[in-house]
Amino acid sequence: MKRPICHQRFFIFLLMLFLCLSLSPAWAQEGGAGSQIDTGDTAWILMSSALVMCMVLPGLALFYGGLVRSKNVLGTIMHSAIILCLISIVWVVVGYSVAFGPDVGGFVGSLAHIGLAGVGTEAFPGTGIPHLLFMVFQLMFAAITVALITGSFAERMKFTALLLFSVLWSVFIYSPLAHWVWGGGWLQEMGALDFAGGSVVHISSGFAALVCAMVLGPRKGHGAEPMPPHNLPMTVLGTGLLWFGWFGFNAGSALGANGGAASAFVATHIAACAGGMSWMVAEWFRTGKPTMLGVASGIISGLATITPAAGFVGPMSALIIGLVAGTVCYAAVVWKARLGYDDSLDVVGIHGVGGFTGILATGLLASVGAQGLFFGNPGQFVTQLVLAVATLIFAVVGTYIILKVVDLTVGLRVSTDDEQVGLDLSQHNEKAYS
Amino acid sequence: MKRPICHQRFFIFLLMLFLCLSLSPAWAQEGGAGSQIDTGDTAWILMSSALVMCMVLPGLALFYGGLVRSKNVLGTIMHSAIILCLISIVWVVVGYSVAFGPDVGGFVGSLAHIGLAGVGTEAFPGTGIPHLLFMVFQLMFAAITVALITGSFAERMKFTALLLFSVLWSVFIYSPLAHWVWGGGWLQEMGALDFAGGSVVHISSGFAALVCAMVLGPRKGHGAEPMPPHNLPMTVLGTGLLWFGWFGFNAGSALGANGGAASAFVATHIAACAGGMSWMVAEWFRTGKPTMLGVASGIISGLATITPAAGFVGPMSALIIGLVAGTVCYAAVVWKARLGYDDSLDVVGIHGVGGFTGILATGLLASVGAQGLFFGNPGQFVTQLVLAVATLIFAVVGTYIILKVVDLTVGLRVSTDDEQVGLDLSQHNEKAYS
Amino acid sequence: MKRPICHQRFFIFLLMLFLCLSLSPAWAQEGGAGSQIDTGDTAWILMSSALVMCMVLPGLALFYGGLVRSKNVLGTIMHSAIILCLISIVWVVVGYSVAFGPDVGGFVGSLAHIGLAGVGTEAFPGTGIPHLLFMVFQLMFAAITVALITGSFAERMKFTALLLFSVLWSVFIYSPLAHWVWGGGWLQEMGALDFAGGSVVHISSGFAALVCAMVLGPRKGHGAEPMPPHNLPMTVLGTGLLWFGWFGFNAGSALGANGGAASAFVATHIAACAGGMSWMVAEWFRTGKPTMLGVASGIISGLATITPAAGFVGPMSALIIGLVAGTVCYAAVVWKARLGYDDSLDVVGIHGVGGFTGILATGLLASVGAQGLFFGNPGQFVTQLVLAVATLIFAVVGTYIILKVVDLTVGLRVSTDDEQVGLDLSQHNEKAYS
Amino acid sequence: MKLITTIIKPFKLDEVKEALIEIGVQGMTVTEVKGFGRQKGHKETYRGTEYQIDFVPKIKIELVIADELEQKVLETVTRAAKTGSIGDGKIFVSDLQGVIRIRTGETGEGAV
Amino acid sequence: MKLITTIIKPFKLDEVKEALIEIGVQGMTVTEVKGFGRQKGHKETYRGTEYQIDFVPKIKIELVIADELEQKVLETVTRAAKTGSIGDGKIFVSDLQGVIRIRTGETGEGAV
Amino acid sequence: MKLITTIIKPFKLDEVKEALIEIGVQGMTVTEVKGFGRQKGHKETYRGTEYQIDFVPKIKIELVIADELEQKVLETVTRAAKTGSIGDGKIFVSDLQGVIRIRTGETGEGAV
Ligand SMILES: Nc1ncnc2c1ncn2[C@@H]1O[C@H](COP(=O)(O)OP(=O)(O)O)[C@@H](O)[C@H]1O
Ligand SMILES: Nc1ncnc2c1ncn2[C@@H]1O[C@H](COP(=O)(O)OP(=O)(O)O)[C@@H](O)[C@H]1O
Ligand SMILES: Nc1ncnc2c1ncn2[C@@H]1O[C@H](COP(=O)(O)OP(=O)(O)O)[C@@H](O)[C@H]1O
């Protein structure tokens, strides 16, 4: 029964694609004058785009893959992999236009750039890089944001549900948010500061994750039987690649190879280190032992938290932000246990809480190219509060609606037997290790 | 008996090397005026060269290593690793000169650059990068091409045979081909288009792989006993690193950080995504389940297929090429079973078929800096056909001859017992996991 | 008893940090004129900094992690991870100033740059990159040097001891050494050549490792029971990432994207390949089988040995250096067995011996921007000898003193039971694989 | 003394262990095994090639007990390991000539 | 009832399994083991240090059968597992007091 | 013939093996198992969640010997495997009806 249905769905999906294509004016692509292109800036953003792609696959895929049980590792890795493929296509077909097309009432972009119409090799306004390069750099952000969410419903989401959810969430939540903050939307007009995605990427995915965890419910046996990570070195490998890629994510957001990029690079690195240290210390106090997973989690917390601030703060502020991040996120992860929902891989505690903290911290510590409260500009803090809360509400409400739609159409969870057997065999007819 | 012989062989090899050295005029290296060097272009090609190196090791090594049985994983990884070392040396000693030395009758380069004579830090004609940098960027292509072939004879090739085969194939097949298409040879004169190696790299290695699979014969037990991949997450990791590196491979082939590089970058990424999607969908229809290995294979198919077109097509054409690639390569891999030869890791189905498809697709869809059939230039398609067929024939015939030579000198296959025990213990006295 | 104490210690450490912060003038950071910033150079050094970070984590962490027994893999990976976090913070707080602050008597830098005071986005003197970027590039070197040492005391060092040792070693050994050779210290004045750290990084860590191995004593059961690497593919992955990152390490040390960087890139690659080949051949002669671990070790040997020479030699000299490196380091590793100390992961044989060889080789083969003995300048060889020996003595003596201090305060080794159980469970309450 | 060997479904291990502890069993030895039987295995697909895997993962528990405990143990295991679906597993009973506790050299029932 | 335990070379597992199914055996339990015996192990080298590994990988099959099947099973296994070279393995035969099928509670021959 | 099954601490394997070889034992089969008993397991912590693991890794050695060797073997194993601390393990002794060496078809004592 089920299979033919999802076949149909795919067929329709493919048709849709080809439609867009044939309609698309971007068959051939207008050669840009490229007059104002700066080779150095272009070199750095080319590299940064590759780095952010590397964050999704293999980075995030392995970071998450190592944390699940071995019967679900392929299913978990698949989430990041297929989201990268699927959302990239959605982005070039429609997503980019919704996010960065000419502003419509401050809320979305027009469809002027659908199918990348009018996106060529000419310099992107205000930068020294080709428009196409700006588009693909932003594409990577769109992909990783959706992929981050998957950690909350790991080991139990139906694969068809994942596909549908990802497309809807990307088009209806991510693209509008990106427009609000970066595409000329109302939050940008307000002067909200989000250097590389503390709100657009981390708050949105982090609190979407919370809704997913609550709507899907806990994994079978959650709390009762132990579910230790099946391969922590894999998770550490993922951590290292995420960190590596994050330099492109944050320093690349300067959209050029300049002092601002260098400053963002330094802030990013310091916050990652401080996050790792402080999570470790906090855990050491509480449980009496420092753990490798704790350091890895702290590093990611530091990175998520510095993301919105990277370009606006000095190195010592970055150090503070990192130290706070590791402690706050650890606390959030510990408290989760009390709240009882099964955010399987702690997306809420790390990205949601981290992103929220970072947006507010930017309002306090901004000192480069903008002033935060501590530098005599209390107004900025208020703006940041609006940014954080608006993003959170939009993400929570939107995600809830999308989940309901997916539940009614293809259903959200795999059967209990399939969950027992594991996603790898039940969803993909594969085994990770032989 | 056997060992002393191969020792001798190695001794001779080393002697040869030192000979080249002493003869070489490149002891010290001429400082280049560097007047026309562009730092941005140089930055991007430095990075691209590193990225392509990363494709071979750890990228390809792990992609292949995860697909074999655990008793052969080191032997398989060793193939990529030692080829990178060996071919790099062969390239600087003689290969580069054969490929890019002053043209001799359209077929090979002269030995003017042997031992890198005359290859310095001055700008490479027509680019803003140092000649040495162009040389090392091309070196990485030479290495990965040979490494790709090893997937076809995995789990049974004698190690000494691998070494001899690699040197001969690189010097007598790869270097001339590179000259024909990129070094000022007859195919380049004809106006054949191969942006980053659809023919030179993928058709050549893909069909060389076919000959290898047929000449060596199937693995013991092939078809009878199941031979599932021993570690698919390792293969996915390899896939991610290959994808990451492919940005350097394709966008780096613009030899600068400009609009062309950005456009090639975008085409590469879109084709990878589309390839992953379409292979998954095709497999889903046929076997009823989407698989992680399918997505990974589709991604590589998309990348191999877009390679020759990357710099010549717009994003929507890239999307089409990717969608076609995933489907066609999946079909090829499925049909292989019928044909019965044991191309163990599907080099033919993915690189041979993908590369061939890509070369032809370039003749149809080229629209940037060149016109394909769909853009009013049917002649280009014919030229592409010649390019594809000529490469295929040269690779097939040459590979066959080289295999015969290797067979008569050191022998191609390990003994049945050694194959039973596995390459790791029998060839290398090592075990991968303890 | 023990735990509360180390808590205290951490508390103090944190306090210290915050102190530095509040004192630090670098809360906000002076915007640099950035007039002379070159985007291409900046792009390359941004990337190089990321590459060197990637060498530590995941590169070195996995290279070492694969070589130990599975009960110690997390403890081993943790060493690299936490050193990256901890030393980065130490570096921005005080280390950078000690190494690169205004020279004080040729031995250390002043504390002018403590807390990164006066380190902004203006161009670093004599380069086209921001001062902050130079600082963070150097930071990565500081981190990896300490991390390299950990291979010598793997599987038995107490975690608290590791933390204390790392901080002391970095501040009192690494920073001064960096000042002597690169920061305007006496060795630089003498004209000593060390392009990317053969002495500062490899001799220092390599011989510090020797002292550590001798002071801590061998692992329980060393020599008696077999201790094979638990996961060689993990080690090969680490090797590949180290190689990849080494391009940033060496070519990045040109501090720009120019002919010098290209030349260093080529030398680095050739030496790595030659090192892999020659170690394999040497091992093949001696034990009758080439091994994957041998090739990996040879590659690292070649890379460590070319490091000081990379910018000063032509490609053919690099080839010689690589061939020598693989053979000499293999010999050193084999002889270790006779000497009986337990340098668990061969830091001495590879980095100590390799670095020493490289410094001397630079004195012989330098031909680009400097002349070595073979190019008519015997004086350079003498200078190099002074450089190598001075570094060795300073590292050996300093390390011994620091180890004694650590031993008297927190103790160096875990208990015999903890060693039996393994570091993962005894030090971190974690298991790598479930 | 008796040696009770039982093959069960992996996810039943904890339940069975707890049940045995309740009735006073103080030790057991567990092995991961692969079982072949009525319960059919699963299908795996790699690049379009399909494999039928007949073996299913099982857990083997070895239990040495005093003779008088036999019935109680058999009932307990049967109850705790049962799901009612094919593949629940088996229990095998055999005699033991002797048991020694290595640490103390104790033998017989005192040793378990 | 009898418990037949046999140690064989890993690559012989499929052959032996098929042969047993042919003669009507309906189930078995398989364990990966390491064997020590006349068959010598192998040498491993890591950075010039050589280890002699005495243990070789083997597969252990446990088989519970009705007494009358014993001869047939022994012959079958011997035939299917044999290569003639050292290390082919052993077959051990022992008595079983009882068997239970957990799912149904059936006992004795009906349970296997 | 007797089947001696012994559960020991993993790091004792080499010692026990050597000791057995000395008294003329020519073969054995080794399995990695998890043990539950008086020896308490360990604690694991992942992101602040703590797990108590009851099972500890053990090695099981299966040894088929001629009856007359029984005493010697039992003493040897007890001596070699002993550390005196909880968790040293057990030895179980049971009867074997028969043994076959697959390679030669030899049976009985000649087969081990
Ligand atoms: N004759 C046998 N000898 C040894 N083990 C057996 C035998 N029959 C079944 N088993 C074990 O019991 C498990 C369950 O048996 P199976 O026939 O699948 O279901 P059920 O126990 O419900 O009859 C098998 O996976 C196998 O491990
Ligand atoms: N006395 C024994 N007790 C238990 N297992 C044994 C014994 N002797 C041999 N084995 C098992 O049988 C396997 C094969 O025995 P081996 O002596 O190597 O060859 P063969 O079976 O041809 O004599 C060994 O690897 C071991 O697992
Ligand atoms: N009743 C039993 N049946 C089977 N195995 C047992 C039994 N009791 C103990 N064992 C095995 O012996 C091992 C050691 O037993 P334990 O009680 O921990 O220490 P000791 O042997 O010193 O009494 C256990 O880990 C388990 O593998």
Side-chain angles (χ1 to χ4, degrees), chain B residues 178-384:
Chain B
H179 185 78
W180 294 3
V181 182
W182 294 331
W186 65 281
L187 284 163
Q188 190 169 22
E189 288 308 308
M190 264 182 68
L193 300 176
D194 185 353
F195 191 71
S199 61
V200 180
V201 174
H202 297 287
I203 293 183
S204 67
S205 59
F207 288 94
L210 176 60
V211 179
C212 291
M214 297 197 304
V215 172
L216 267 85
R219 288 163 291 177
K220 212 173 161 317
H222 175 249
E225 57 191 71
M227 299 179 175
H230 91 288
N231 189 333
L232 277 179
M234 182 186 284
T235 295
V236 176
L237 167 56
T239 307
L241 293 174
L242 282 166
W243 189 345
F244 178 57
W246 225 296
F247 289 124
F249 197 92
N250 285 4
S253 291
L255 296 180
N258 46 42
S263 160
F265 187 110
V266 170
T268 302
H269 184 70
I270 292 178
C273 297
M277 290 297 303
S278 64
W279 182 304
M280 179 186 78
V281 173
E283 188 171 34
W284 204 334
F285 272 97
R286 181 164 166 282
T287 69
K289 288 272 172 74
T291 69
M292 181 66 241
L293 178 56
V295 172
S297 309
I299 287 166
I300 303 301
S301 305
L303 288 164
T305 308
I306 197 67
T307 295
F312 302 119
V313 300
M316 287 306 145
S317 304
L319 181 53
I320 304 246
I321 290 175
L323 292 170
V324 171
T327 325
V328 171
C329 294
Y330 176 64
V333 165
V334 172
W335 282 327
K336 174 193 74 169
R338 314 236 171 92
L339 305 181
Y341 61 88
D342 178 16
D343 171 18
S344 312
L345 310 182
D346 292 308
V347 186
V348 184
I350 291 175
H351 298 279
V353 172
F356 205 99
T357 310
I359 290 292
L360 298 189
T362 308
L364 299 174
L365 294 164
S367 63
V368 183
Q371 270 61 41
L373 191 149
F374 292 172
F375 293 84
N377 177 12
Q380 189 62 57
F381 186 75
V382 179
T383 316
Q384 296 303 94

Side-chain angles (χ1 to χ4, degrees), chain B residues 3 6-7 10-11 13-14 17-18 21 24 26-29 37-40 42-43 46-47 49-51 53-54 57-58 61-62 73-74 77-78 81-82 84-86 88-89 92-93 115-116 121 130 132-133 135-136 139-140 159-160 163 234 237 241 244 425-434, chain C residues 38-41 43-44 47-48 51 70 228-234 236-237 239-241 243-244 247 251 256-263 265-266 269-270 272-274 276-278 280-281 284-295 299 313-317 319-320 323 365 367-368 374-375:
Chain B
R3 193 170 303 140
C6 63
H7 279 181
F10 258 96
F11 210 61
F13 169 71
L14 278 185
L17 265 180
F18 279 95
L21 297 183
S24 158
W27 275 85
Q29 128 209 343
I37 298 285
D38 178 287
T39 58
T42 303
L46 283 167
M47 198 54 234
S49 306
L51 284 169
M53 174 269 161
C54 178
L57 185 72
L62 297 182
V73 57
L74 289 177
I77 287 175
M78 178 66 134
I82 205 62
L84 178 57
C85 293
L86 182 55
S88 295
I89 293 172
V92 298
V93 171
L116 298 188
T121 56
L132 268 174
L133 182 52
M135 180 284 299
V136 81
L139 175 154
M140 304 300 182
F159 186 65
T160 46
L163 296 173
M234 182 186 284
L237 167 56
L241 293 174
F244 178 57
L425 281 175
S426 70
Q427 302 288 292
H428 307 298
N429 276 4
E430 291 175 299
K431 259 174 62 191
Y433 310 105
S434 292
Chain C
D38 178 286
T39 57
D41 293 341
W44 174 235
M47 198 55 233
S48 296
L51 284 169
S70 53
H230 92 287
N231 189 333
L232 278 179
M234 182 186 284
V236 176
L237 168 55
T239 306
L241 293 174
W243 190 345
F244 178 58
F247 289 125
N258 46 43
S263 161
F265 188 110
V266 170
H269 184 70
I270 292 177
C273 297
M277 289 298 301
S278 63
M280 178 186 78
V281 172
W284 204 335
F285 272 97
R286 182 165 166 280
T287 70
K289 288 269 172 77
T291 70
M292 181 64 242
L293 178 56
V295 172
I299 287 167
V313 299
M316 287 307 145
S317 303
L319 181 54
I320 304 244
L323 292 170
L365 295 163
S367 63
V368 183
F374 292 173
F375 293 85

Side-chain angles (χ1 to χ4, degrees), chain D residues 63-76:
Chain D
L63 209 58
V64 175
I65 53 169
D67 300 351
E68 58 272 24
L69 261 174
E70 175 171 355
Q71 276 324 308
K72 204 124 147 271
V73 167
L74 294 183
E75 285 157 24
T76 310

Side-chain angles (χ1 to χ4, degrees), chain E residues 1-17:
Chain E
M1 313 284 301
K2 290 259 182 283
L3 167 64
I4 311 290
T5 304
T6 174
I7 315 285
I8 63 172
K9 288 181 168 168
F11 69 93
K12 278 292 195 177
L13 175 57
D14 278 351
E15 236 167 297
V16 172
K17 189 192 84 193

Side-chain angles (χ1 to χ4, degrees), chain A residues 218-242:
Chain A
R219 289 162 292 178
K220 212 173 160 317
H222 175 248
E225 57 191 70
M227 299 179 175
H230 91 287
N231 189 333
L232 278 179
M234 182 186 283
T235 294
V236 176
L237 167 56
T239 306
L241 293 174
L242 282 166

